[in-house]
Amino acid sequence: MSEDNAEAALTRMSKLFRRASRSENASPEENEMRRNRRMRRQASEVGRSSPSVNFATARPRDPLFYWRQNNMPFQFDDPAQMQKMRAYCRLVYASHPIVGSCVDIYSKYPLLGMKMSCKDERLTDFYTQHFLEEEGLNYSKFMVDIGREYWTVGEAWPLGTFNEPLGVWDDEELLNPDDVEVQASPFLRDPRFLIRLPTEMRELIRTRQPAWEFEKLMQAYPELTYYADDNQLMPVSNILLRQLKFEADTFNKRGVPLLYRAMRSLMQEEMLNAAVDSVADRLYTPLILAKLGASASDLGTNQPWIPTQDDLADFEEAVDMALAGDFRIIMTHFGVDMEAVLGKEDMPDLTPDFDRIEGRILQTFGLSKTMLAGASSGETYAADALNRDLVTQMLTNYQQLLNRHYRQRALVVAEAQEHFDYEERAGRRYVKMEEILEIDEETGEERIVEQPKLLIPDLQFRTMSLQDEAAQTEFFEALREAGVPISMRTRLHNVQIDFDDEIEKSRDEAVELAVAEQETRKAIYIALKDKGLPIPQDLRGDFEPRALPEGQDPGQSPTAPLRIPIMGLDPVGSQPTLAPTMQDLQTTPADGGVVQPGSVPEPVDADQGGNTRPDESDEMRGDMPKQSSMSPYAAMQDLTGLRLNAERMRALANRHRPKVRVDPKPKSPAEDDTEAEEIAVPEAVQRKEPVGLYGGPRHVGMRRHVTEDQINKELHT
């Protein structure tokens, strides 16, 4: 084989290799288009007619080709595309007037009339103070932030911080969905959540500056050193971190933004805006064509006038001076012809196109123009009835989502505070029990056990109905007149009136009116007596002095004989909802013994060392800060009368649930029955278990170790 033939063979082999590699990496559509071009080139080489143009330039019939060609993300399981999609949705919310208004309406309107209701008023006040008031978690504002994230990017990630000693939530914040990873588990019903530590915390661990902050952080949470890398993810308890997602895709573990339905319309709107901008630019800075010169017929001579380069330069300089000056004028002869090449067209009317896109964007949220601005001539409200029902269903489902989130948070507090449900029989309260399925982690044995049922207030919202409220109120009143037992609270639910406050105000007004009436009668009696006029008998009986019965002190008012109470017939006073704390059950009496549950300890004499008052006088103590002004939790206790105490649940957690320590200490034989085993931080990290700061409340599930007889005994004592 000659050198030329060998070189040609190597060239063909390299071309075939490159062609095969391109075919493997390219999409089927690109391979098809490449084959079409090769067939046309081969046909032209042999002299045949080339294939038809339609066959050569046909677009692939792939439904996803449009999305790929326009660089629009559509793979919901790709974290990079989802992150790009969420960033675009945030930009649209901040810049688009219609989308921003719709998201704000969907975030705030379902929260109207938010309040709590429970059969125990003290629990209602307790959870209202803890969740809704500004001193607590301030859900009135926090749920607006949740709604903004939910309707904009498709999911919200609230992360709570639980106070173990007090048994309440300290704070709740939203995490960026880009810093959260969801891992499905084949054995667990709920997925596992992993988060990336905040940038400030990772920088503090890497640099160890400031030193005192690093030392404090390591003393409290030593496990954070294992997750200081940028790509390291830390597991978080599902109790602390919850996922509220918009389920547009049933089989996707992440939420899909609702705005994705309007993405093509938003892209088309941007293209229309770009077209308008280009036309406006041409109108503002048009392209002008100037022609200099004249033909022989125009001049009436035998020779045309063709300008030289100097003539063109002089004319260009004159035009530049005219465009730069305030007073613009150019004086020349008929040999100059000027016209606009680009910019002479009029601004096109794109109102129908923008209206069409606006209607599609509103339809993404279930709204329409006629719902917002009313129907014009020739339009009807027939289509709005379906849209109204769709909006009502979407907002109602969102209210149920928020209610489930609140219940998960409130149940953690209820178990720590031992807020157990009860029923009253013969004036006494008895705890309600529920059955659960428990699986032994070591043996895998399944058994049904009983545990106390928790009692929390219900979070109520305004009913999502876009119908006329006046017609709804009239309907309720008609039902009330027909004999349907509808309470005043139900009839005033959608009215901005606090029923309890109105009752208190009405009672105060009735008292003031009664006092004013009696003062008026007394003033009439005194005036008639001073002037010697006749006094009516009712005034004499009420205000004239009378002699006291024999044996009665002047300062003592006459009283009727006391009624002897009858057991079983007289009503019993309300019992506390909460069980006594461990300190109440184990108060040390004066003789040094232990008070049994249900008994009353004897008072300790001050002379025997019981006086623990400080040396300050009452005057000085009066100026000292009160407990209610030191923390919101103290104010919560003063308002509701319920104590924050989670010691019993913490003791049960220490007994039945292992602790995580940096270096587990060896246990003595005496502690084997009272404390659970301890595990080291590296072992917990290797298991990918949430520990430390994001380990979750340890008392959850410990109420099953509290017996029914024990709770009933505490309720009755």
Side-chain angles (χ1 to χ4, degrees), residues 280-327:
D281 291 339
R282 292 197 299 268
L283 292 178
Y284 182 73
T285 56
L287 177 62
I288 300 175
L289 175 64
K291 295 185 295 183
L292 275 69
S295 62
S297 60
D298 294 336
L299 297 176
T301 61
N302 296 329
Q303 184 177 1
W305 174 59
I306 300 176
T308 63
Q309 293 295 331
D310 295 337
D311 295 336
L312 295 177
D314 293 341
F315 183 78
E316 183 179 1
E317 183 179 359
V319 173
D320 291 340
M321 293 178 61
L323 294 177
D326 296 334
F327 183 73

Side-chain angles (χ1 to χ4, degrees), residues 29-267:
E29 295 80 9
E30 294 176 350
N31 293 331
E32 182 68 22
M33 296 172 69
R34 189 178 294 111
R35 284 194 296 269
N36 294 339
R37 289 194 299 269
R38 187 164 57 251
M39 291 172 56
R40 184 173 57 182
R41 185 170 60 253
Q42 293 174 356
S44 61
E45 290 177 356
V46 298
R48 298 196 306 265
S49 60
S50 60
S52 63
V53 176
N54 293 332
F55 178 76
T57 60
R59 293 173 63 90
R61 305 255 180 216
D62 185 6
L64 301 179
F65 180 79
Y66 173 83
W67 301 87
R68 281 195 293 264
Q69 289 297 108
N70 291 274
N71 198 22
M72 298 176 65
F74 63 91
Q75 296 180 355
F76 301 144
D77 54 350
D78 186 1
Q81 290 197 16
M82 292 296 295
Q83 185 174 356
K84 179 180 178 182
M85 187 189 309
R86 286 190 286 265
Y88 176 72
C89 291
R90 295 183 191 276
L91 177 62
V92 171
Y93 166 75
S95 59
H96 201 284
I98 297 178
V99 172
S101 300
C102 291
V103 170
D104 290 340
I105 291 174
Y106 271 52
S107 302
K108 299 177 181 179
Y109 183 68
L111 303 181
L112 295 178
M114 183 170 57
K115 64 178 182 179
M116 293 189 180
S117 176
C118 183
K119 61 183 180 181
D120 194 319
E121 293 296 333
R122 293 187 303 167
L123 289 183
T124 302
D125 297 337
F126 178 86
Y127 285 89
T128 301
Q129 179 78 8
H130 183 38
F131 284 94
L132 301 185
E133 300 296 335
E134 294 183 1
E135 294 80 4
L137 298 179
N138 196 10
Y139 265 25
S140 301
K141 179 182 179 301
F142 183 69
M143 284 192 173
V144 175
D145 300 336
I146 290 180
R148 187 184 302 112
E149 283 288 301
Y150 178 81
W151 296 111
T152 303
V153 300
E155 57 183 357
W157 292 92
L159 175 65
T161 304
F162 193 75
N163 191 321
E164 292 280 357
L166 296 179
V168 292
W169 295 99
D170 273 341
D171 191 18
E172 194 167 7
E173 59 181 340
L174 288 175
L175 296 184
N176 190 349
D178 300 337
D179 297 334
V180 182
E181 181 178 334
V182 181
Q183 292 183 354
S185 173
F187 304 102
L188 301 177
R189 182 182 60 180
D190 299 328
R192 288 190 293 262
F193 300 147
L194 298 94
I195 66 172
R196 187 176 291 105
L197 291 182
T199 306
E200 298 80 5
M201 190 175 296
R202 296 199 304 267
E203 190 68 21
L204 175 62
I205 297 175
R206 283 196 293 261
T207 61
R208 302 190 176 187
Q209 296 295 331
W212 66 273
E213 289 187 0
F214 177 76
E215 293 178 0
K216 292 291 185 182
L217 184 64
M218 291 298 101
Q219 291 176 4
Y221 310 107
E223 70 278 355
L224 297 182
T225 55
Y226 297 91
Y227 306 99
D229 296 338
D230 294 337
N231 297 326
Q232 193 71 18
L233 298 177
M234 182 175 183
V236 185
S237 171
N238 293 27
I239 301 176
L240 298 182
L241 182 62
R242 302 196 70 250
Q243 181 187 21
L244 309 179
K245 68 174 183 178
F246 183 79
E247 297 183 356
D249 186 1
T250 306
F251 304 100
N252 190 18
K253 58 187 177 182
R254 301 300 296 265
V256 180
L258 177 65
L259 294 179
Y260 194 78
R261 300 176 180 177
M263 184 165 291
R264 293 187 63 177
S265 300
L266 292 172
M267 296 293 291

Side-chain angles (χ1 to χ4, degrees), residues 417-479:
Q417 302 296 333
E418 302 184 35
H419 294 171
F420 299 144
D421 198 359
Y422 62 90
E423 59 181 354
E424 294 188 3
R425 298 195 299 267
R428 306 187 71 178
R429 294 185 177 182
Y430 297 88
V431 66
K432 288 184 178 181
M433 305 296 289
E434 61 182 2
E435 294 182 349
I436 61 171
L437 178 64
E438 184 182 62
I439 302 177
D440 194 336
E441 297 181 358
E442 298 180 356
T443 63
E445 179 185 359
E446 297 182 354
R447 55 179 178 269
I448 297 178
V449 297
E450 284 190 345
Q451 65 180 9
K453 186 179 180 180
L454 299 177
L455 176 62
I456 60 174
D458 295 329
L459 184 62
Q460 298 179 352
F461 300 96
R462 182 176 177 179
T463 303
M464 288 293 98
S465 177
L466 302 182
Q467 300 177 354
D468 190 4
E469 294 185 1
Q472 185 178 6
T473 303
E474 293 179 358
F475 177 68
F476 282 167
E477 295 298 332
L479 292 178

Side-chain angles (χ1 to χ4, degrees), residues 2 137 140 313 368 506 540 567 582 591 601 613:
S2 63
L137 298 179
S140 301
S368 63
S506 301
R540 290 179 178 274
M567 182 178 300
M582 297 300 294
D591 56 358
R613 290 183 55 189

Side-chain angles (χ1 to χ4, degrees), residues 597-610:
S599 60
V600 181
E602 298 180 359
V604 180
D605 192 0
D607 298 337
Q608 300 178 2

